[in-house]
Amino acid sequence: MKRSTLAAFRMNAKIFSAVVMVLACCSSLAAARSPKALKSLGQGHRMTSVYNFEDGTGFVADLELIKRTEIYGPDISPLRMVVRYDSDDQVHVHITDSTQTRWEVPQDLIPRPAVPTLALKGESNAAASNGRQLELSYTVEPFGFAITRTSTGECLFNSTPPIDSKTGEAGFNSMVFKDQYLEISTQLPQNNSMFGIGESTRPDGLRLMRNRTYTLWATDMAAYTVDVDLYGAYPFHMDIREGGATHGVLLLNSNGMDIYVGEDLLTYHVIGGVLDFYFFAGPSPLAVVDQYTKLVGRPTPMPYWSFGFHQCRWGYENIDDLRYVVDNYKKANIPLDTIWNDIDYMDAYKDFTFDPIRYDENKVREFVEELHANGQQYVLILDPGISVAYKNYSTLERGLKDDIFLKNEFGNNYLAQVWPGPVFFPDFLHPKATSWWTTEVADFFKKVPFDGLWIDMNEASNFCTGSACSFETSSLGTLGMLRGNDSSNDQCILRCVNGTSRFDNPPYKIDHVGTYNNLGDKTIAMTVKHYNGALEYDAHNLYGLSESIVTQKALQTVTKQRPFILSRSTFVGSGAHTAHWTGDNKATWEDLKYSVVSIINSGMFGVPMVGADICGFAGNTTEELCSRWMQMGAFYPFSRNHAAIGTDSQEPYLWESVAVSSRKALGLRYRLLPHLYTLMFEATKSGAPIVRALFFSFPDDLETLTINHQFLVGNNIMVSPVVYPGHTTVNAYVPKGTWYNLFDFSKVTSKGERFVLSAPADSINVHVHEGQILPMQEARLTSAEVKKTPFTLIVAFGDASFASASGKLFVDNGVDLEMEVRDGSSTFVQYFAERSLQSGSLVGRVISGDYALEQGLVLHNVRLLGVAMSPSKVFVNGQPIAAAEQLKYDANLASVEITGLNVAVGKDFEIKWESQESVGWASQ
Ligand SMILES: *[C@@H]1O[C@H](CO)[C@@H](O)[C@H](O)[C@H]1NC(C)=O
Ligand SMILES: *[C@@H]1O[C@H](CO)[C@@H](O)[C@H](O)[C@H]1NC(C)=O
Ligand SMILES: *[C@@H]1O[C@H](CO)[C@@H](O)[C@H](O)[C@H]1NC(C)=O
Ligand SMILES: *[C@@H]1O[C@H](CO)[C@@H](O)[C@H](O)[C@H]1NC(C)=O
Ligand SMILES: *[C@@H]1O[C@H](CO)[C@@H](O)[C@H](O)[C@H]1NC(C)=O
Ligand SMILES: *[C@@H]1O[C@H](CO)[C@@H](O)[C@H](O)[C@H]1NC(C)=O
């Protein structure tokens, strides 16, 4: 809509008539002040016109500044606000300059409905107004908007400042909109709980702290540095109100920002872009993640094998080191699916090359072929920086030909420095980047048929700061870095000019690590240009996401199979393309403990395939720490042991005690693979995190909001790890209900209270909650072997006289591009069970697909937990089971084990049992 058109609406008598604008929400009188907010950043805006979309899905409004200020630069006025009810559970609020186009997260990175600017006629996907769960209201002067939950009238967001009745002072600034500074606040109750906003390591736990600034700026800062901006950026949080109703708030903006969480307010201080809010109605945590991932991208399916165990280290000197590690895992009977290479394999740290001596490409290929023959995989690392120190490096030459590298302010390729020395960075926003990267990946795959790619250093990390850098060829040889096997030197050898522009040094300083007066500290200079002139200043936080997207496309093209990608830097929407690990942690008990929160947060951000470096990356681990970490890490969605160069080796077979606890914990993980894989399937459909906070399943239990060192796998498996040295018990919070230990089936019945659980050195507590049916297989040393074993169903009943349980199973070949319910290539089964005092039944219903039938998958065993009387008769599809030995009852555990079944996983079945003490089993 043009300015003139909108101006005409001012004359329109219908203006303001059709939308509710009474704002009676959150009328808190407290003066809550953000310490970062400057006083009197203007007096806000007034709404000068509003026009409703004809289809009733929202409106467009014009906002005009009331009073100019010069702090942080001149104001932008007028502004255009578009409000759209995208669906019953989502409201979109978009505010920007009404005349000039501003930077926004590009549509091709996160495809989403375009912001409508004209009256929408006729059909639309947006909801009819009577089903809306959220309602937006606004005030005209000063302008403010509020989001209310329709069912309760509770105010969820309110950008109008509260006024102190005594002093007349406003609690915070009205909305501020300048080129390099946007500020908007919301009033908050003091007793809500908020989660999310990342990425950072959180010693204080899951819940966002009050009076704390969270800074979003993708930075190569070791994850053991707590409470600072790390590799990824997520301006998304979940807000749980008294009573448990939960909503989500996303500010879809890629610029650097501080988010201040105060006692009774939350303030965004953003250094560019637009205000692009999405409010998700929930009302449960799972519903919020569902709504959020529906918008930003559902998690991409991960290959089945990637749920097996992974081993990596930086410092595997040569191919024989890898072979030695793989052999020793086997000798020690510890499962291992995938062996990894960090940068050690490369020739002088050049991407897509192998060191000709230590990692001779032919020997690597032979090794990888052996791995594949043994049902194992190989993943290796790529960094974005492309070496420019060698004249005859074809990857560089093809990149130069396609002109896909980032440009400095003079239009030349931007020079930076990473492990290979001087590099150019590919511009993954460039339309030709995909074909170039795909060619490189294809050539590389021809050399060695690897199974996945690990994309690191993509914040992007730079050993130098500044622009217009240059180097002397003579300086290259003097540093160990280019020898290809000495990575101790990360000193800058380039000569650069530190930028002084308003982008390097913007008027508002976000609280990022690094020097305040240079936003480009140890990363790409802010004045660097991406395709179409996009500034690094705006696109910085998107580098990892854009590389993930291009790498995913490349792998899909080259391997024709489901990609496995592990990215360090991530953004909103990254889960649709990549897995993530929490970065450079340290071998300390604190890091072990903090990993729980980091992993839960990643799942909440829509990146469910996540893990922390098991046993710790930096520093030397200890036997006890590594043992406890192997136990906990066995239940990370992505489970990988990884160490830094210069640290002692930490493969689990190196200590007998670690080997014992690894066999035990990984043994359970491998038995649970069908369940983990089914959770992946569910994540691709609803965003549901694989590992979750306890409050996801027990939202009515306020105590769960404070549990930071236990977690759920799916809905109903609770892991309560030991996170302190010298402990052989865990003081675990056990939400209400009956829980069964998955190792020995012992039972804990809780009213919602703490229990001291025994946790001897070789053991971790893993419990399944009543109501769950778990599909399991048999433990083997690789996931490929597990896949061939018969199934067991664990059915966990509660204590009530009538109890029920349910579960799901998804199976497919594990590598198809799609993970879909469809005929032939997959099977999806649902299980239901119920039991009264004297009888019960378990049914399997095949919802779709012939895969399980074609593969001949069979169910051999059923274990019923919580059955108080020994069954006297068991019928399988109407037939009594053949032999008494097939039925075992353990009165102590109230557990029934039915063995020797031969039921097809791919067909419907029904198992019934009766308990009649008068009728002996033997009478059959
Ligand atoms: C929580 O905060 C709301 C709004 O500030 C208030 O109405 C409610 O009484 C508070 N509840 C408790 C338990 O403090
Ligand atoms: C808020 O945090 C700041 C900085 O850490 C501190 O100086 C101040 O006392 C805190 N205020 C409150 C109310 O806790
Ligand atoms: C450059 O690379 C090509 C292709 O790999 C090779 O044939 C040629 O010998 C190389 N030239 C030099 C000078 O290394
Ligand atoms: C690194 O490589 C150089 C030359 O290839 C070799 O002389 C040196 O011994 C290597 N250093 C280590 C620590 O392996
Ligand atoms: C440029 O900035 C970096 C990081 O802030 C600093 O270490 C370096 O000394 C500066 N260089 C010059 C030439 O000012
Ligand atoms: C780890 O221990 C080794 C001795 O086993 C020692 O040489 C090395 O410096 C230690 N590394 C760290 C990071 O503490």
Side-chain angles (χ1 to χ4, degrees), residues 618-620 646-648:
N620 288 333
T647 63
D648 292 344

Side-chain angles (χ1 to χ4, degrees), residues 457-486:
M457 304 292 274
N458 51 1
E459 292 72 28
S461 181
N462 181 357
F463 297 164
C464 299
T465 296
S467 190
C469 304
S470 60
F471 68 97
E472 284 165 31
T473 317
S474 61
S475 68
L476 291 177
T478 63
L479 283 163
M481 135 180 10
L482 291 184
R483 286 210 308 271
N485 61 355
D486 174 6

Side-chain angles (χ1 to χ4, degrees), residues 81 83 217 296 309 321 329 348 367 382 442 504 539 592 641 652 668 688 721 789:
M81 167 160 96
V83 171
W217 189 245
V296 304
F309 192 67
D321 277 5
Y329 260 92
F367 171 69
L382 286 176
D504 300 291
L592 167 72
N641 179 316
L668 179 56
T789 63

Side-chain angles (χ1 to χ4, degrees), residues 317 355 357-358 480 483-486:
E317 278 284 322
D355 183 285
I357 296 158
R358 297 175 302 105
R483 286 210 308 271
N485 61 355
D486 174 6

Side-chain angles (χ1 to χ4, degrees), residues 193-207:
S193 297
M194 288 174 289
F195 302 88
I197 305 180
E199 176 181 22
S200 58
T201 302
R202 305 264 169 84
D204 292 306
L206 279 169
R207 197 143 62 156

Side-chain angles (χ1 to χ4, degrees), residues 66-77:
I66 294 172
K67 181 171 174 258
R68 284 191 177 274
T69 69
E70 292 307 315
I71 304 162
Y72 302 145
D75 294 282
I76 292 174
S77 178

Side-chain angles (χ1 to χ4, degrees), residues 87 195 234 269 292 317 350 382 477 509 531 554 577 630 664 715 723 745 825 839 862 883:
S87 62
F195 302 88
Y234 292 94
H269 307 267
Y292 158 80
E317 278 284 322
K350 283 179 289 181
L382 286 176
K509 318 289 182 223
Y531 182 73
H577 313 282
M630 285 297 299
K664 202 166 163 182
N715 244 339
V723 296
F745 305 113
S825 55
S839 66
V862 168

